[in-house]
């Protein structure tokens, strides 16, 4: 009474598949050489280029460069209660970013330590 009515199942034999004819390579070359209406319309409806003031972009980049390391350190401090390793990792990344130390600097430091510990005897 309140149950759902069974849905009518469509048999796969009733599905009509249209015959698709792909163009040959010569037809593709001809259409690419011709100036078709579609290409003219797409050229006419080009996306307008938004030119932003470069001063605003540089100011935003500078502010982002100053604020983001502090944000990373704060998130690391918050996460250190729940997940000590992840919090410690974020704190280290934030501090290295604040000190402007790159990965290449760290690798160079380890290579110098390695060269100092090995002897040339």
């Amino acid at each position: 009474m309140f149950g759902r009515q069974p849905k009518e199942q469509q048999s796969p034999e009733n599905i009509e598949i249209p015959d698709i004819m792909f163009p040959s390579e010569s037809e593709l070359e001809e259409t690419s050489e011709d100036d078709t209406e579609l290409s003219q319309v797409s050229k006419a409806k080009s996306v307008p280029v938004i030119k932003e003031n470069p001063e605003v972009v540089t100011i935003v980049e500078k502010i982002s460069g100053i604020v983001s390391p502090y944000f990373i350190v704060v998130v690391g401090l918050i996460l250190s209660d729940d997940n000590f390793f992840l919090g410690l990792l974020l704190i280290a990344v934030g501090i290295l970013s604040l000190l402007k130390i790159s990965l290449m600097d760290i690798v160079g430091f380890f290579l110098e330590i390695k060269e100092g510990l090995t002897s040339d005897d």
Side-chain angles (χ1 to χ4, degrees):
M1 184 168 146
F2 293 108
R4 292 185 178 175
Q5 298 291 331
K7 294 182 179 180
E8 295 179 19
Q9 296 181 355
Q10 296 179 354
S11 64
E13 298 170 0
N14 294 341
I15 298 174
E16 294 181 17
I17 300 174
D19 292 333
I20 299 175
M21 297 291 292
F22 293 105
S24 65
E25 291 181 15
S26 60
E27 291 175 357
L28 286 175
E29 290 174 2
E30 290 174 7
T31 56
S32 64
E33 292 174 1
D34 295 339
D35 212 10
T36 61
E37 288 183 31
L38 181 61
S39 64
Q40 291 174 354
V41 169
S42 65
K43 289 177 185 176
K45 292 185 179 182
S46 63
V47 178
V49 177
I50 300 172
K51 294 183 179 180
E52 294 184 19
N53 190 359
E55 295 173 4
V56 173
V57 174
T58 55
I59 291 172
V60 169
E61 286 178 353
K62 287 179 182 178
I63 292 174
S64 174
I66 294 169
V67 173
S68 64
Y70 291 104
F71 180 75
I72 293 171
V73 170
V74 169
V75 170
L77 288 171
I78 293 170
L79 287 178
S80 64
D81 292 337
D82 297 332
N83 190 344
F84 181 74
F85 179 71
L86 183 62
L88 186 65
L89 181 69
L90 287 175
I91 291 169
V93 167
I95 290 174
L96 291 175
S97 179
L98 280 170
L99 298 175
K100 306 276 188 209
I101 298 174
S102 68
L103 183 62
M104 296 303 295
D105 295 334
I106 295 171
V107 170
F109 178 70
F110 282 122
L111 289 177
E112 288 178 13
I113 291 175
K114 181 181 174 183
E115 289 174 4
L117 294 176
T118 56
S119 63
D120 293 333
D121 292 339

